[in-house]
């Protein structure tokens, strides 16, 4: 079918990635609000649909890791000279805003008379994923991100050896899964037993999530989306958009029916990302402010949203009063945005002082 308009053949740009992360953030928020029983009741226009989407919305983790893998391949792994201390800078750029949010969490916990100072070191790097120890709920991702940054130089060395997609799939996808499932009994991220045991557990924790990061790297390395976009340019934009929307719905439906740890999301997450990108590349309208901002500041929204759950669940009432799911989501984002802006502003000033030449 001849296309009425051929989209520009481009790869996944940082701007597109911000849009995808914005979508992932909305899924993340929906998952925490309606997919894991943190909220007991709400008014649902269609009973059961909110929970159905909420459970499947956990695909957001795979989407975030896919985008991180893609972006870091382009900015670091594929670069001849990415700059000194690149990974260390990325870690610091993540920890500074996280620590600022942790100070907010500590202030809230002090007001609620629930602050325990003996967990400060554990919370600094999200070392143990016990909700009673972590001052910032949902901050386990901080540890994963740090671990990924620490192994990036090793991956960069490996990347110089070959360019073969079969080898990459075996090394980066199949092998980590195989090692994890053989030794998964040794992973315990919720308790501290000993330093050696914690190191082993952290290694297995990294192997569990690494394939989702690696699939993003593979997409960047072999420019897979660019080839998909070139292929779909043969068809009319409306047809591509309809099919892409169907794929998004199918992924959400299938993920609810069948999910086996991260193995399924290695397939689901790229499919969902590709479908969203095809929609964006085949429509004229694109969000210029909302989605890009949500995507760029997604980690801040992620961590600050934890204030309404788990350790500080007393604050849940602040976001649930609209009662209708869509309005709860919108109100939560609106409520968080001033705090996101403030943390971003302060952390930006601190990072400028740290990295000024």
């Amino acid at each position: 079918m001849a296309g009425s308009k051929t989209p520009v053949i481009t790869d996944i740009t940082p701007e597109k990635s911000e849009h995808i992360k914005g979508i992932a953030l909305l899924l993340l928020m929906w998952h925490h609000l309606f997919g894991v029983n943190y909220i007991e009741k709400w008014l649902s226009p269609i009973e059961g649909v909110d929970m159905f989407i909420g459970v499947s919305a956990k695909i957001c983790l795979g989407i975030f890791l896919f985008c991180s893998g893609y972006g870091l391949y382009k900015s670091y792994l594929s670069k001849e000279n990415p700059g000194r201390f690149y990974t260390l800078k990325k870690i610091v750029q993540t920890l500074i805003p996280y620590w600022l949010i942790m100070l907010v969490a500590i202030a809230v916990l002090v007001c609620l008379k629930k602050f325990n100072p003996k967990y400060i070191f554990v919370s600094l790097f999200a070392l143990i994923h016990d909700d009673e120890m972590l001052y910032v709920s949902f901050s386990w991702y901080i540890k994963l991100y740090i671990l990924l940054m620490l192994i990036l130089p090793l991956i960069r060395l490996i990347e110089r050896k070959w360019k073969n997609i079969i080898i990459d799939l075996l090394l980066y996808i199949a092998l980590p899964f195989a090692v994890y499932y053989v030794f998964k009994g040794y992973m315990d991220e919720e308790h501290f037993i000993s330093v050696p045991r914690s190191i082993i557990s952290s290694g297995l924790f990294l192997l569990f999530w690494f394939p989702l990061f690696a699939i993003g790297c593979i997409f960047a390395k072999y420019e897979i989306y660019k080839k998909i976009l070139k292929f779909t340019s043969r068809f009319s934009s409306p047809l591509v958009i309809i099919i892409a929307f169907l794929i998004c719905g199918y992924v959400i439906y299938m993920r609810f029916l069948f999910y086996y740890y991260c193995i399924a999301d290695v397939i689901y997450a790229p499919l969902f990302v590709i479908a969203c990108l095809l929609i964006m590349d085949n429509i004229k309208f694109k969000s210029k402010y909302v989605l890009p901002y949500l995507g760029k500041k997604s980690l801040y929204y992620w961590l600050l949203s934890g204030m309404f759950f788990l350790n500080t669940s007393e604050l849940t009432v602040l976001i649930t009063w609209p009662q209708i799911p869509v309005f709860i989501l919108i109100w939560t984002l609106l409520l968080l945005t001033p705090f996101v802006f403030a943390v971003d502003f302060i952390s930006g000033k601190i990072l400028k002082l740290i990295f000024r030449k």
Side-chain angles (χ1 to χ4, degrees):
M1 184 183 295
S4 57
K5 183 177 179 181
T6 302
V8 178
I9 307 301
T10 61
D11 218 337
I12 305 177
T13 62
E15 292 75 19
K16 291 181 185 179
S17 182
E18 286 176 2
H19 279 73
I20 296 298
K21 287 181 181 178
I23 294 170
L25 176 67
L26 295 176
L27 290 171
L28 172 77
M29 300 291 288
W30 195 274
H31 172 66
H32 287 156
L33 287 167
F34 310 111
V36 284
N37 296 319
Y38 292 146
I39 298 177
E40 294 183 359
K41 58 182 179 179
W42 59 84
L43 298 178
S44 177
I46 306 177
E47 188 175 354
V49 171
D50 309 314
M51 181 68 74
F52 169 82
I53 297 174
V55 172
S56 296
K58 196 175 181 181
I59 193 177
C60 62
L61 296 171
I63 297 171
F64 279 121
L65 286 168
F66 176 94
C67 290
S68 294
Y70 196 100
L72 286 166
Y73 184 89
K74 291 289 188 179
S75 62
Y76 177 74
L77 295 175
S78 64
K79 296 292 184 181
E80 190 65 31
N81 184 19
R84 297 178 61 189
F85 308 116
Y86 178 91
T87 55
L88 179 60
K89 288 180 180 178
K90 296 292 286 186
I91 291 173
V92 173
Q93 288 169 353
T94 300
L95 285 177
I96 294 300
Y98 167 61
W99 287 339
L100 287 173
I101 293 170
M102 190 173 75
L103 290 176
V104 175
I106 288 174
V108 173
L109 288 169
V110 168
C111 292
L112 295 173
K113 298 181 180 180
K114 297 170 68 175
F115 174 65
N116 192 332
K118 71 179 182 180
Y119 298 137
I120 289 179
F121 182 73
V122 169
S123 284
L124 278 175
F125 305 100
L127 295 177
I128 299 174
H129 303 161
D130 184 338
D131 293 329
E132 293 184 3
M133 294 185 184
L134 293 178
Y135 301 142
V136 181
S137 301
F138 313 142
S139 58
W140 62 269
Y141 190 84
I142 295 296
K143 177 178 177 178
L144 175 61
Y145 189 81
I146 292 173
L147 291 173
L148 287 170
M149 292 304 102
L150 291 176
I151 67 166
L152 271 188
L154 174 61
I155 298 173
R156 191 164 182 270
L157 288 175
I158 295 173
E159 281 298 301
R160 295 171 179 265
K161 302 298 182 182
W162 65 75
K163 187 174 182 180
N164 184 299
I165 193 169
I166 301 300
I167 295 177
D168 285 343
L169 289 172
L170 290 173
L171 181 65
Y172 295 143
I173 307 296
L175 183 61
F177 274 142
V179 174
Y180 168 77
Y181 284 110
V182 169
F183 298 102
K184 65 179 181 179
Y186 294 96
M187 189 175 90
D188 185 357
E189 289 295 289
E190 296 182 355
H191 306 91
F192 176 78
I193 298 174
S194 65
V195 172
R197 185 68 180 265
S198 292
I199 292 173
I200 293 171
S201 177
S202 297
L204 291 170
F205 170 67
L206 175 62
L207 289 175
F208 179 77
W209 292 104
F210 180 75
L212 296 176
F213 174 85
I215 198 69
C217 296
I218 291 171
F219 262 69
K221 183 177 182 178
Y222 298 100
E223 298 184 326
I224 294 174
Y225 177 68
K226 192 173 184 179
K227 295 170 182 175
I228 292 172
L229 185 58
K230 185 176 181 180
F231 172 77
T232 59
S233 67
R234 305 174 185 179
F235 307 96
S236 68
S237 292
L239 177 61
V240 174
I241 292 169
I242 291 171
I243 293 175
F245 268 116
L246 290 173
I247 291 173
C248 287
Y250 180 75
V251 168
I252 294 297
Y253 177 70
M254 287 303 297
R255 198 187 185 282
F256 182 82
L257 292 181
F258 175 77
Y259 174 71
Y260 189 72
Y261 293 101
C262 286
I263 292 178
D265 277 347
V266 168
I267 299 171
Y268 293 148
L271 271 177
F272 193 87
V273 169
I274 290 168
C276 290
L277 288 169
L278 287 174
I279 293 170
M280 288 189 290
D281 280 323
N282 281 276
I283 60 175
K284 294 180 180 180
F285 173 78
K286 292 180 177 64
S287 175
K288 295 181 179 179
Y289 305 106
V290 178
L291 274 182
Y293 187 79
L294 292 178
K296 190 179 295 184
K297 310 304 177 187
S298 56
L299 184 64
Y300 297 2
Y301 279 100
W302 180 335
L303 296 174
L304 284 167
S305 68
M307 296 294 106
F308 304 117
F309 307 104
L310 301 174
N311 283 344
T312 50
S313 58
E314 291 86 348
L315 302 182
T316 303
V317 67
L318 296 177
I319 59 172
T320 54
W321 65 266
Q323 297 193 45
I324 297 174
V326 172
F327 294 142
I328 292 174
L329 174 63
I330 294 172
W331 170 243
T332 302
L333 291 171
L334 289 173
L335 187 61
L336 289 175
T337 297
F339 296 97
V340 170
F341 182 85
V343 171
D344 181 46
F345 178 80
I346 297 170
S347 62
K349 295 294 184 183
I350 296 173
L351 289 170
K352 282 184 179 179
L353 290 174
I354 294 174
F355 295 121
R356 68 180 179 180
K357 296 182 180 179

